[in-house]
Amino acid sequence: MNRASYLKKLRGKLQRLPAHEIDAALAYYEEYFDEAGEENEQRVIQQLGSPSHVASQIMADYALKDIEATSNSTSTKKNMSAIWLIILAIISAPLSLPLLVVAIALIFSFGAVIFSVIIAIIATVLGIFFGGIAALISGFFILTQDWPTALLFMGVGFIVTGLGILLFPIVARLIKTIVVVCVEALGKLFHKITKKRKEGY
């Protein structure tokens, strides 16, 4: 493999990234080859590793950089695309079969735990909110039969419904934080896996 075919393969592996990111990455590696000189082309290719390995590093780094740049944003779509890019980077990294199986198992188990936590939080807040609404409606139905109990139900209903409404933005922020932590954890996992791969050579 020579420089031209290496860079061509690298470009092909980076198709999921935005065009400007691909151009920036290729410009960096072209400059890297230029500085090494034509006579050291094969040595540079050996140092860098396969185009798949370099592409997986670039995709994971881009995802982490992207999530840091949008950490003040509430864009769940951006967070999810960052997670997806890191997962793709891990899967597309040229890993040995045992490492790849471990990586995929960790991703799925980690994802299942986080998904369960998010669903539990959402269910709890919705339960509080709808519980308050149910108490409020119950209070209205028994208003003519037993007004002190009806007022108690309505008061509790208003308080609990209000609590549910107040919890919505807190829960949204908590879920966003969980997603950001997931992206960072996946990024660290990727770097650990690729580091172990390098040490294995």
Side-chain angles (χ1 to χ4, degrees), residues 5-109:
S5 61
Y6 186 93
L7 292 173
K8 187 179 177 183
K9 282 185 180 178
L10 182 58
R11 181 179 284 277
K13 299 281 182 185
L14 296 174
Q15 288 307 309
R16 292 184 181 273
L17 293 182
H20 69 276
E21 287 291 332
I22 296 171
D23 292 340
L26 286 169
Y28 171 80
Y29 285 101
E30 278 173 9
E31 192 179 325
Y32 193 81
F33 274 105
D34 287 340
E35 285 176 6
E38 229 176 284
E39 66 280 1
N40 296 316
E41 202 171 271
Q42 289 306 312
R43 187 174 57 81
V44 169
I45 290 170
Q46 196 175 1
Q47 277 179 351
L48 291 174
S50 69
S52 297
H53 175 69
V54 172
S56 61
Q57 290 277 5
I58 292 168
M59 288 198 303
D61 289 340
Y62 170 75
L64 289 171
K65 184 179 74 174
D66 195 41
I67 201 71
E68 282 168 17
T70 58
S71 59
N72 295 327
S73 160
T74 54
S75 173
T76 307
K77 190 178 174 185
K78 279 246 180 194
N79 294 337
M80 295 314 289
S81 68
I83 288 174
W84 181 240
L85 267 177
I86 292 175
I87 290 170
L88 281 175
I90 290 170
I91 292 169
S92 67
L95 304 170
S96 63
L97 188 61
L99 262 181
L100 188 60
V101 169
V102 168
I104 291 170
L106 278 171
I107 289 167
F108 278 110
S109 57

